[in-house]
């Protein structure tokens, strides 16, 4: 069976990456692409790298245009998808790459985002560990409403969740510093994202617990088994177009050995196709994940500090967004989870 697909927000980075994956997916056929200010333009005018989809023209983003498709991927800024998706049929699989349906706590939405709260959908991180020993993928089977995680959230959650579930790290005093590429901010013109501002520089932003991904990280680690979570994470903008390198640290639980730590991560990801733990002493580079739906993880124990150090790398537009969307859609539709996705990156 071939599923008809529409992509809303097709002119942006996330929408473009979703389209790049859909173009070679054997079970999906892209029939409609939409945008706001770019509506009416041919797709190639704003996504010139998508040559196989150059026959498509961007339509207005309305429920009427999106209705009638088997699958709708939505790649819009937060606050824009809620009203749009409310008008789509219940039987349509809708995958939201934005933030509108990620948080289960309405008060957290009000604090970090503001505006109307549209409720939580099934969370699109298949590898998210559950405290009972399962994973999130069971909740995605047959789903028709999926919320794709935030990219920073994915890097930190996949890095720390095994230690939380196994009880080998303390869930409080979690600290993460992330080197991130500017594509995560989208295509909107901003002075701080100009090449002349970025090149040869690194700058922290959303410092001091105010980043909107904070409550989502807490939410995930509580699913993994933490009763109470405190996390301080600081993203640092660096001059690479795409990628996240997250260095997350946590206090060792009393009586925990380095062997216990290694075993927790090995057990968590032994059978995961897209989350890979590197051999002892090896740590990932963002370059090794570009274009791939992988999260690569390096692990160490700082004995002197009594902390576990986890370094996780991923492509923010792939595993951090579009790859997770396709992976989750595959599961929801009963397709092989890895269909249309690759673990091979692009080098150099």
């Amino acid at each position: 069976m071939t599923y008809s697909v529409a992509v809303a927000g097709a002119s942006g980075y996330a929408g473009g990456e979703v389209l790049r994956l859909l173009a070679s997916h054997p079970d999906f056929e892209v029939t409609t692409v939409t945008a706001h200010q770019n509506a009416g333009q041919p797709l190639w005018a704003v996504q010139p790298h998508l040559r196989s989809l150059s026959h498509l023209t961007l339509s207005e983003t309305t429920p009427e245009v999106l209705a009638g498709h088997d699958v709708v991927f939505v790649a819009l800024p937060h606050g824009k998808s809620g009203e749009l998706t409310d008008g789509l049929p219940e039987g349509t699989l809708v995958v939201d790459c934005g933030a509108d349906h990620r948080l289960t706590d309405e008060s957290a939405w009000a604090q970090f985002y503001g505006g109307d709260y549209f409720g939580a959908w099934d969370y699109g991180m298949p590898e998210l560990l559950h405290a009972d020993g399962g994973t999130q993928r069971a909740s995605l089977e047959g789903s028709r409403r999926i919320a794709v995680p935030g990219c920073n959230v994915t890097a930190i959650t996949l890095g720390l969740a095994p230690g939380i579930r196994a009880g080998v790290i303390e869930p409080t005093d979690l600290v993460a510093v992330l080197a991130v590429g500017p594509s995560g901010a989208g295509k909107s013109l901003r002075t701080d994202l100009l090449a002349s501002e970025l090149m040869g520089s690194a700058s922290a932003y959303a410092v001091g617990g105010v980043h909107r991904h904070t409550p989502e990280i807490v939410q995930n680690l509580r699913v993994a088994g933490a009763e109470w979570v405190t996390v301080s994470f600081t993203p640092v903008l660096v001059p690479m177009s795409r990628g996240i390198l997250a260095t997350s640290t946590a206090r060792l639980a009393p009586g925990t050995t380095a062997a216990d730590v290694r075993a927790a991560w090995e057990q968590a990801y032994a059978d995961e196709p897209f989350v890979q733990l590197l051999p002892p002493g090896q740590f990932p580079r963002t370059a090794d994940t570009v274009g791939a739906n992988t999260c690569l993880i390096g692990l160490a124990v700082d004995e002197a500090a009594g902390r576990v150090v986890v370094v996780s790398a991923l492509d923010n537009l792939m595993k951090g967004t579009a790859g997770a969307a396709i992976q989750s859609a595959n599961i929801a539709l009963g397709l092989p989870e890895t269909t249309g996705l690759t673990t091979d990156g692009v080098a150099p």
Side-chain angles (χ1 to χ4, degrees):
M1 176 179 179
T2 300
Y3 296 92
S4 63
V5 177
V7 177
S11 60
Y13 288 139
E17 192 72 350
V18 169
L19 285 169
R20 185 177 72 86
L21 295 178
L22 290 172
S24 58
H25 196 294
D27 299 295
F28 292 150
E29 180 183 2
V30 180
T31 57
T32 301
V33 290
T34 78
H36 287 291
Q37 64 184 30
N38 292 305
Q41 295 190 55
L43 179 64
W44 61 260
V46 293
Q47 304 287 12
H49 62 298
L50 300 176
R51 305 312 300 172
S52 66
L53 300 176
S54 60
H55 60 285
L56 296 172
T57 298
L58 293 162
S59 301
E60 293 284 348
T61 302
T62 67
E64 293 75 21
V65 170
L66 298 174
H69 298 82
D70 299 314
V71 185
V72 176
F73 292 92
V74 182
L76 300 174
H78 80 268
K80 301 297 184 181
S81 67
E83 292 182 2
L84 177 73
T85 56
D86 276 351
L88 296 178
E90 292 184 3
T92 300
L93 171 57
V94 185
V95 183
D96 187 4
C97 295
D100 286 15
H101 303 284
R102 294 172 184 165
L103 297 182
T104 58
D105 184 347
E106 184 174 355
S107 64
W109 174 267
Q111 179 182 353
F112 284 87
Y113 289 92
D116 293 336
Y117 176 69
F118 292 98
W121 287 358
D122 296 324
Y123 193 66
M125 186 187 290
E127 304 92 350
L128 175 60
L129 301 174
H130 286 210
D132 62 4
T135 63
Q136 181 64 15
R137 58 175 45 85
S139 301
L140 296 172
E141 296 173 0
S143 175
R144 287 299 176 266
R145 294 292 187 271
I146 296 174
V148 177
C151 53
N152 297 310
V153 177
T154 300
I156 296 174
T157 297
L158 294 178
L160 292 175
I164 296 292
R165 186 167 79 173
V168 299
I169 61 175
E170 300 286 352
T172 55
D173 190 24
L174 303 174
V175 179
V177 178
L178 287 68
V180 302
S183 59
K187 281 187 175 180
S188 297
L189 182 61
R190 284 170 35 185
T191 300
D192 63 325
L193 300 180
L194 295 174
S196 56
E197 302 288 335
L198 282 171
M199 299 305 293
S201 181
S203 57
Y205 65 96
V207 179
V210 298
H211 196 288
R212 287 167 169 164
H213 287 175
T214 300
E216 193 180 341
I217 297 166
V218 172
Q219 176 177 292
N220 289 349
L221 296 182
R222 295 190 70 176
V223 169
E227 183 175 349
W228 183 255
V229 176
T230 59
V231 58
S232 175
F233 93 92
T234 304
V236 178
L237 200 62
V238 298
M240 58 182 180
S241 61
R242 53 203 287 169
I244 294 176
L245 186 74
T247 302
S248 306
T249 75
R251 290 202 306 263
L252 275 169
T256 299
T257 67
D260 296 331
V261 170
R262 185 80 195 177
W265 270 259
E266 288 179 343
Q267 181 179 1
Y269 297 135
D271 299 320
E272 290 294 346
F274 298 119
V275 184
Q276 300 173 4
L277 179 64
L278 300 184
Q282 294 188 20
F283 298 91
R285 309 179 305 169
T286 57
D288 299 327
T289 68
V290 173
N293 192 47
T294 54
C295 179
L296 304 181
I297 294 176
L299 186 63
V301 175
D302 185 338
E303 300 282 2
R307 297 185 76 85
V308 173
V309 181
V310 188
V311 181
S312 50
L314 54 80
D315 181 333
N316 59 294
L317 293 178
M318 268 293 289
K319 184 57 180 165
T321 307
I326 301 296
Q327 185 181 347
S328 297
N330 285 341
I331 295 171
L333 295 170
L335 301 172
E337 184 173 337
T338 59
T339 305
L341 298 169
T342 181
T343 57
D344 295 330
V346 177

